[in-house]
Amino acid sequence: MARLTLESLLAQKQELPTIAAVIKQLRQRHPWIQQEQHRYRSPRGFQPWTNHLAYAALMEAGLETMDAIEDSVGAWAATTCRWARLQQAPPRFLAAELAAAFRHTALPPLDEQLPVVLPCFRLMLPDGALFTEDGVPIPVVIVADLRAMADWLPAEAKRISGISCVGLALDGTTYLTRHSFQQIGERQPTVEDLSHPAWQWDEQAVQSTNQRMEGLAINALLVQLYQPELLTTGPAAKAPCGKGFSAGIADDTCTVRPQGPVWIGKDFRLDRTPRAPSEDTAAGTSSSASRRPHWRRGHWHTVLHGEKRQNRRMQWFQPVYVGLS
């Protein structure tokens, strides 16, 4: 195979139809999308469910191409999209206020003790929650537990462990990060790790995008496992029924009732009330920078509970806004 160059990739790009045209065709012709498009309906402010299915189908269809050009991120994104389809991975809609809180929450170290109850879900992000370094929205992150995928992956991939997060940007690029259970430190990405066209990417900026994506995805996973009180199910929307749609329940008035959206933090409100810094903090330094209003990061902490406090679980402590009283 001839080596890819800037000129060859630009020439290929000019010959391809726009991604909007491809997405439109997939929505109209792809049998799986036709079957699944009425299973859910995205609330206002999120990527339409049907559009997400089309983007995921587009990524999955490119698996052989990604392998051929040795685009490891693209190949893994395609594999994860296929896994999500086979698992019928449900969408989870992250509320904007909770997304803001997650941006101020540090991720805890995870290990094999993490319950395997969510093999895969689609984290639907509100408008404006996550962008690429070029300002392109990333409206959906597919979050997959690699332990659940172990028997499905090829032999050479079974040794990896952790939580895989794949972001699908609206320009067709993909982002990948893995929250490892081994805690041995992930190597920094190289140009070979990045989706083509690789010459457009700034390695440090891509890593920053990945970190923000991982923060939203892992915190959303932990909330579903340990803070179920932040989960609510909204009322099901109604959509006109059509021939060949198996998802939803048709009634006598010929309407399809999609499943109600499952929200993460729909009623959550981030407390932005300034709090005076603690006496220890104020006495320990005279720097004006330390007294400047700022967010004190939230965190996850293992707490004891149950009979004789013998059981352990993780609990989220929200970020706190510290300012001058």
Side-chain angles (χ1 to χ4, degrees):
M1 175 180 176
R3 182 175 178 81
L4 292 172
T5 64
L6 170 61
E7 292 73 17
S8 66
L9 285 170
L10 283 174
Q12 293 175 23
K13 187 175 181 180
Q14 292 175 352
E15 295 174 0
L16 294 175
T18 64
I19 191 169
V22 174
I23 294 302
K24 182 178 179 180
Q25 290 179 4
L26 284 171
R27 290 181 56 172
Q28 294 174 344
R29 303 176 184 178
H30 197 290
W32 178 66
I33 296 175
Q34 292 293 303
Q35 175 182 324
E36 296 294 319
Q37 63 179 334
H38 289 307
R39 186 179 296 274
Y40 302 98
R41 174 172 286 188
S42 296
R44 181 174 298 178
F46 293 83
Q47 183 182 38
W49 172 245
T50 310
N51 280 7
H52 163 64
L53 294 181
Y55 272 92
L58 178 62
M59 293 300 105
E60 182 180 345
L63 179 56
E64 292 184 3
T65 301
M66 296 301 102
D67 282 335
I69 66 176
E70 298 182 347
D71 180 355
S72 58
V73 171
W76 182 255
T79 300
T80 304
C81 287
R82 178 174 296 177
W83 167 254
R85 175 175 60 82
L86 295 176
Q87 290 292 310
Q88 294 187 331
R92 296 290 183 262
F93 297 91
L94 179 62
E97 282 285 289
L98 192 54
F102 286 169
R103 285 193 285 269
H104 300 292
T105 298
L107 292 181
L110 302 180
D111 55 33
E112 296 288 350
Q113 300 301 315
L114 189 75
V116 190
V117 295
L118 288 172
C120 190
F121 68 95
R122 307 170 193 264
L123 182 61
M124 313 292 285
L125 298 176
D127 291 345
L130 184 63
F131 293 90
T132 72
E133 63 281 358
D134 293 327
V136 178
I138 303 178
V140 180
V141 181
I142 299 179
V143 185
D145 192 322
L146 295 174
R147 296 170 296 177
M149 296 175 70
D151 294 335
W152 186 75
L153 292 172
E156 61 271 16
K158 290 184 179 180
R159 59 181 178 81
I160 61 177
S161 181
I163 304 298
S164 175
C165 309
V166 175
L168 307 181
L170 291 185
D171 61 355
T173 56
T174 54
Y175 286 74
L176 168 65
T177 183
R178 177 170 64 91
H179 195 82
S180 174
F181 292 153
Q182 299 174 355
Q183 302 304 320
I184 58 176
E186 297 291 322
R187 68 181 176 88
Q188 297 298 309
T190 66
V191 69
E192 285 78 17
D193 294 324
L194 308 177
S195 294
H196 291 289
W199 70 85
Q200 293 181 351
W201 298 125
D202 177 315
E203 186 173 316
Q204 185 175 359
V206 170
Q207 181 70 357
S208 175
T209 300
N210 280 341
Q211 288 175 346
R212 288 181 280 116
M213 178 180 73
E214 182 179 356
L216 294 171
I218 299 300
N219 278 310
L221 170 64
L222 293 176
V223 160
Q224 293 178 82
L225 294 177
Y226 299 110
Q227 307 280 150
E229 65 273 13
L230 290 175
L231 300 180
T232 55
T233 301
K238 288 186 177 182
C241 69
K243 297 180 180 179
F245 300 136
S246 62
I249 302 174
D251 60 18
D252 294 336
T253 60
C254 195
T255 59
V256 175
R257 297 173 181 170
Q259 298 179 27
V262 177
W263 285 89
I264 305 177
K266 186 175 189 298
D267 300 320
F268 176 84
R269 295 296 177 268
L270 183 58
D271 187 358
R272 293 178 171 82
T273 304
R275 291 169 173 78
S278 64
E279 293 182 3
D280 292 341
T281 302
T285 178
S286 60
S287 170
S288 60
S290 65
R291 298 196 304 269
R292 188 178 299 125
H294 64 279
W295 282 101
R296 183 176 296 159
R297 290 176 67 80
H299 63 281
W300 289 88
H301 187 69
T302 301
V303 298
L304 302 177
H305 71 103
E307 185 178 357
K308 297 183 180 180
R309 297 171 61 83
Q310 293 182 348
N311 299 323
R312 294 173 177 266
R313 66 175 176 85
M314 296 181 69
Q315 181 173 328
W316 180 46
F317 293 84
Q318 300 177 20
V320 175
Y321 189 68
V322 178
L324 298 176
S325 61

